[in-house]
Structure formats: C-alpha cells, structure tokens
Amino acid sequence: MKKTIVTFSFLAFTTFTFLTSCKNNETKIEDAQENVLDAKKDLVEAKQDSLSDYESFKTKINEKIAANEVKITDLKIKAIDGSKAAKAKYNEAVVALEEKNIELKTKINTYSESSKEAWEVFKKDMNKTADDLEKEFDEFKSKNK
C-alpha cells in the first residue's frame, strides 16, 4: 500500500511539473517575436553607433584636410614671392601635396559601410595617411625656411 501511494505521488508530481513547465504554442510564438524585436532593436542601435562614429571621424579628417588646404595656399603664395628655382620647387611640392590631400578627401567621402573589422582598418589607414601628409608638410616647411 505504501509503495502504491509513493508511486502515485511521484507520478502526480511528475505530471504536474510537466504540465506547468510546458509552454503552449502561442506563448512560444510570442517569445520568438520578442526575441526578433530585441535583435532588430540591437541592430538599429549598432548601426546608429556606427554612423555616429563615422560622422565624428569624417569631421576630424575633414578638419585635417581643411588645414592642409590652408598650408597648400601658403605654399602657393611663397612660390609667387620666390626666385625662379624656388618657384619650381614650391610648385612641385604643391602639386604632390595637393594630390595626396585630394586622395585623402576622396577616400573619406567614398567610404561605404562594412564590417567592424574593416572599419577599424579603414580608420587606421586614414589616420596614418593624414599623419604622413602632415609630416610631409612639416618636412617641406623645415627644409625651405
């Protein structure tokens, strides 16, 4: 008799646990829809963060490009005031620096979205290119004082 009561109790407990733990299909669908909405929300937030990062980086690079354009204008003015040999040297430097500055401007304006890893590589490359160009300006300026 004790054995039957223990067996029946165990069976009742197992059945109750099974029935209360199972979700119906409607609940499963609602949970899946919530998960999809959460994933979409996360994706939208990630894209907004990415766009914000791109815009701030683009602004920073455009400031460097504008500063380079001022330096190029200064070099053009110095070329006008110099001797014939100095004019040739300045004009040659101006053309080379102008081309690199235009290339930098084109790269930042034509960038299209890609993976996070590609974005990091792009930023690193753009920073290096901008820094190298700035060094070229400084080197030219220090050689031709």
Side-chain angles (χ1 to χ4, degrees), residues 3-18:
K3 198 176 192 182
T4 308
I5 292 174
V6 170
T7 305
F8 180 72
S9 296
F10 178 73
L11 185 60
F13 177 74
T14 305
T15 304
F16 177 76
T17 303
F18 178 74

Side-chain angles (χ1 to χ4, degrees), residues 112-130:
S112 61
E113 290 184 42
S114 60
S115 69
K116 185 173 183 172
E117 293 80 21
W119 167 244
E120 292 301 323
V121 169
F122 177 78
K123 279 191 343 185
K124 187 177 179 180
D125 179 53
M126 288 297 292
N127 280 325
K128 183 180 180 328
T129 303

Side-chain angles (χ1 to χ4, degrees), residues 50-137:
S50 175
L51 286 174
S52 172
D53 188 27
Y54 170 72
E55 288 302 321
S56 65
F57 182 74
K58 184 177 179 182
T59 301
K60 179 181 154 188
I61 293 294
N62 281 331
E63 287 171 358
K64 288 183 178 184
I65 291 168
N68 291 343
E69 288 172 350
V70 169
K71 291 175 185 177
I72 289 169
T73 303
D74 288 343
L75 291 176
K76 287 180 180 178
I77 291 169
K78 287 182 181 179
I80 293 171
D81 294 339
S83 67
K84 195 171 189 177
K87 284 182 184 181
K89 188 190 312 182
Y90 274 93
N91 286 334
E92 186 178 314
V94 165
V95 169
L97 294 169
E98 228 171 3
E99 286 176 2
K100 290 180 181 179
N101 205 43
I102 290 169
E103 181 183 326
L104 189 66
K105 192 177 202 175
T106 303
K107 275 185 184 179
I108 194 67
N109 289 332
T110 59
Y111 175 75
S112 61
E113 290 184 42
S114 60
S115 69
K116 185 173 183 172
E117 293 80 21
W119 167 244
E120 292 301 323
V121 169
F122 177 78
K123 279 191 343 185
K124 187 177 179 180
D125 179 53
M126 288 297 292
N127 280 325
K128 183 180 180 328
T129 303
D131 291 343
D132 289 347
L133 186 56
E134 193 170 327
K135 285 178 186 174
E136 286 183 46
F137 277 110

